[in-house]
Amino acid sequence: MKRLYLYGLIAVAMCATTAHAEGDKTRGRQLVYTCQGCHGVPGYSNVYPSYHVPHIAGQNEQYIVNALKDYQKGFAAPGTGRRHPTMGAQAESLSDRDIADIAAYLSSLAK
Ligand code: HEC
């Protein structure tokens, strides 16, 4: 009995680790709240319909991770990564985990 309980705990721990590595969509959904004003995730209204912003909903997960890390790089050290003051400031406030969760959520959406 005790042994079964232990296996159960290990299984739960392994699940939790996997979920983290893949990014937590539920958490990502909360995090993209601040992105929606500009990027207009479907199901939410776009505050600036005339402002040119690339679509990120349904984008490839790794692409989103790379893009955000590049903006972070360009913000921290101009001349490297992607240079864009607005997105740089956005990306700068995100942790690696935030980025993974955001990418998991956005890539799960329909284009
Ligand atoms: C103030 C408006 C604004 C906000 C808020 C904003 N973005 Fe952006 N985002 C932009 C603009 C403008 C670009 C295009 C920048 C460029 O030309 O490199 C962009 C580009 C991107 C790209 C690259 C897209 C591509 O096709 O290469 C990603 C990914 C992205 N944003 C994610 C996010 C995420 C995630 C958030 C929220 C944490 C966010 N953005 C918040 C305006 C915004």
Side-chain angles (χ1 to χ4, degrees), residues 29-47:
R29 186 187 181 137
Q30 288 158 4
L31 288 167
V32 298
Y33 186 78
T34 52
C35 324
Q36 284 153 15
C38 293
H39 286 282
V41 174
Y44 299 86
S45 61
N46 190 337
V47 185

Side-chain angles (χ1 to χ4, degrees), residues 44-102:
Y44 299 86
S45 61
N46 190 337
V47 185
Y48 307 106
S50 59
Y51 187 66
H52 180 76
V53 180
H55 289 287
I56 53 173
Q59 181 55 273
N60 177 275
E61 188 166 357
Q62 195 56 51
Y63 180 94
I64 294 171
V65 170
N66 290 343
L68 290 172
K69 295 204 164 164
D70 276 356
Y71 284 123
Q72 278 184 338
K73 232 201 254 170
F75 192 74
T80 63
R82 283 205 201 194
R83 184 81 189 122
H84 194 276
T86 311
M87 265 318 296
Q90 291 293 321
E92 183 59 18
S93 66
L94 301 170
S95 70
D96 285 356
R97 188 184 159 202
D98 292 343
I99 289 178
D101 293 349
I102 285 172

